[in-house]
Amino acid sequence: DTEVTQTPKHLVMGMTNKKSLKCEQHMGHRAMYWYKQKAKKPPELMFVYSYEKLSINESVPSRFSPECPNSSLLNLHLHALQPEDSALYLCASSQVSLATGTGELFFGEGSRLTVL
Amino acid sequence: AQSVTQLGSHVSVSEGALVLLRCNYSSSVPPYLFWYVQYPNQGLQLLLKYTSAATLVKGINGFEAEFKKSETSFHLTKPSAHMSDAAEYFCAVSGNNDMRFGAGTRLTVKP
């Protein structure tokens, strides 16, 4: 069983809706990540939080808004999305910041988002 | 910037045959390399990782990988494929506070 929990597993939303994806880990990890994965493609990094501070934003559109309320939780707020934003959104955590190059990522099972 | 390239988007083997999935890296410094597996509609699971302690790395499910600096390679192997090995495999490199993935290789196992 994965130790990174993502909710909801499936989400269908219209382009005018506001929704949120949630991620939780209790492994004491201090780095958390959001990745976007389209079908038959590798995960693409969106955001990295290190010690609850946003450290990487890969030029993601502002309709995606991350939030890290504490070291165990990571949210992704969604607003005014486009159909092309439909994808699997993966959350991950690591024991140390990958700046040291030693951290392995632990992934959740993902939230599959469909934008109508 | 560090990156990895996976050779072959699709590999098909017979059950019991050798599995070889290829990954080459590009890095100006010693890299930290990983292999992940993804089953349909699931997240990614770590198979093994290279962190410079040993060039031959053993992972879960009978997989192993060898780091070869002279060839800038980190190929994944398994002596005998099982039907349950059918999945998508990603090579990845970490550094600069992120992790980057190769394009992936889909492994099909024929009975």
Side-chain angles (χ1 to χ4, degrees):
Chain A
D1 291 338
T2 180
E3 295 184 73
V4 177
T5 304
Q6 291 188 241
T7 55
K9 293 191 182 302
H10 300 276
L11 177 64
V12 179
M13 60 186 292
M15 289 188 285
T16 59
N17 293 156
K18 286 186 180 181
K19 298 286 184 182
S20 296
L21 305 180
K22 298 184 183 299
C23 176
E24 187 170 8
Q25 58 89 12
H26 293 290
M27 294 179 281
H29 293 172
R30 300 309 298 272
M32 297 187 75
Y33 312 79
W34 280 115
Y35 283 84
K36 174 182 178 180
Q37 187 179 27
K38 302 283 280 185
K40 301 187 188 301
K41 296 292 186 181
E44 296 179 0
L45 185 64
M46 300 175 71
F47 303 103
V48 180
Y49 275 83
S50 181
Y51 293 89
E52 295 95 69
K53 302 291 185 186
L54 183 64
S55 60
I56 292 181
N57 177 342
E58 289 290 295
S59 302
V60 179
S62 60
R63 58 185 183 269
F64 295 91
S65 176
E67 178 195 21
C68 189
N70 59 55
S71 61
S72 300
L73 295 174
L74 184 66
N75 299 320
L76 186 62
H77 302 299
L78 314 171
H79 175 55
L81 294 192
Q82 303 297 310
E84 59 264 30
D85 296 322
S86 297
L88 181 68
Y89 288 83
L90 293 164
C91 174
S93 67
S94 68
Q95 188 171 20
V96 296
S97 166
L98 285 179
T100 66
T102 57
E104 64 188 77
L105 266 60
F106 293 79
F107 283 86
E109 294 196 352
S111 294
R112 185 163 297 283
L113 173 68
T114 302
V115 182
L116 301 176
Chain B
Q2 296 175 317
S3 65
V4 289
T5 301
Q6 292 184 242
L7 304 177
S9 60
H10 187 202
V11 171
S12 181
V13 301
S14 298
E15 191 173 18
L18 172 71
V19 175
L20 171 60
L21 305 182
R22 301 176 186 273
C23 174
N24 288 90
Y25 68 89
S26 173
S27 175
S28 58
V29 298
Y32 295 97
L33 298 164
F34 306 80
W35 276 100
Y36 281 85
V37 61
Q38 186 176 32
Y39 298 100
N41 299 313
Q42 293 189 22
L44 278 70
Q45 180 183 7
L46 180 71
L47 280 175
L48 49 81
K49 62 180 179 181
Y50 168 75
T51 57
S52 75
T55 57
L56 182 62
V57 182
K58 294 188 182 298
I60 63 171
N61 302 338
F63 284 94
E64 63 181 36
E66 186 173 8
F67 175 77
K68 291 187 176 181
K69 184 177 180 180
S70 61
E71 299 177 7
T72 61
S73 69
F74 189 57
H75 300 333
L76 182 71
T77 60
K78 182 174 180 177
S80 176
H82 294 167
M83 296 296 292
S84 60
D85 294 328
E88 189 83 19
Y89 291 80
F90 293 100
C91 182
V93 61
S94 72
N96 298 323
N97 204 34
D98 62 10
M99 181 174 283
R100 307 287 175 167
F101 291 86
T105 298
R106 178 166 298 278
L107 176 65
T108 301
V109 182
K110 298 174 292 186

